[in-house]
Amino acid sequence: MKTVDRSQYLICVVMVAVGGFLIVDALRLTAGFAKVDPVGPKFFPIVIGIGLILLAVALAVAIERGSVGQMEGGEDVDPDSPADWRTVGLLVALFVGVIVAVQPLGWAITGALLFAGAATILGSRHWVRNLVIGTVLSVGSFYAFYSGLGIPLPAGILDGIL
């Protein structure tokens, strides 16, 4: 008699929940800013949501048949070391800060702070370089979305300048 680690089913539940959320949220979308999109804004979220649900079912079947995940094979990974909750907490705080600040400050500023902050939290000590690269990435993605895709990101306090 095989024993099944039932805790693995939590991943299946999360995958079904995220897939269901994507499908429901996509069905509520209306035609967006980009009028040149032949498939519309609903197509890809629905496809990804259905894919997540199908993969969750496949994973549940594999778990029931006794399949278990393999240990990490990387030589730089110590499975016995504790999690770095400080880094995780700082990254979560950074993401929450971006969510709060993106509307008033705009994407160019919050994106630069996001990229530079994440690099610094993950160990880079070149603060000026992090900020320069973050600024290039955020301004570049701002214009890529606006000019390339026709999707305006929030300009915030730089409205009229960008």
Side-chain angles (χ1 to χ4, degrees), residues 112-113 115-117 119-120 124-137:
L113 295 175
F115 295 128
T120 302
S124 174
R125 296 293 165 231
H126 303 280
W127 298 296
V128 174
R129 183 174 62 190
N130 294 347
L131 197 56
V132 168
I133 292 172
T135 302
V136 169
L137 288 172

Side-chain angles (χ1 to χ4, degrees), residues 5-23:
D5 182 11
R6 302 262 181 224
S7 64
Q8 294 184 70
Y9 288 115
L10 179 61
I11 299 296
C12 299
V13 170
V14 170
M15 289 172 67
V16 168
V18 171
F21 172 78
L22 282 172
I23 293 169

Side-chain angles (χ1 to χ4, degrees), residues 3 7 12 18 43 50 57 82 85 90 100 104-105 110 135-136 147 158:
T3 59
S7 64
C12 299
V18 171
F43 180 73
I50 291 170
V57 170
W85 291 110
L90 288 172
V100 169
L105 295 180
T110 54
T135 302
V136 169
S147 300
L158 297 177

Side-chain angles (χ1 to χ4, degrees), residues 18-43:
V18 171
F21 172 78
L22 282 172
I23 293 169
V24 169
D25 202 40
L27 292 174
R28 288 190 258 161
L29 289 174
T30 58
F33 299 105
K35 303 289 186 201
V36 297
D37 187 5
V39 294
K42 297 179 181 184
F43 180 73

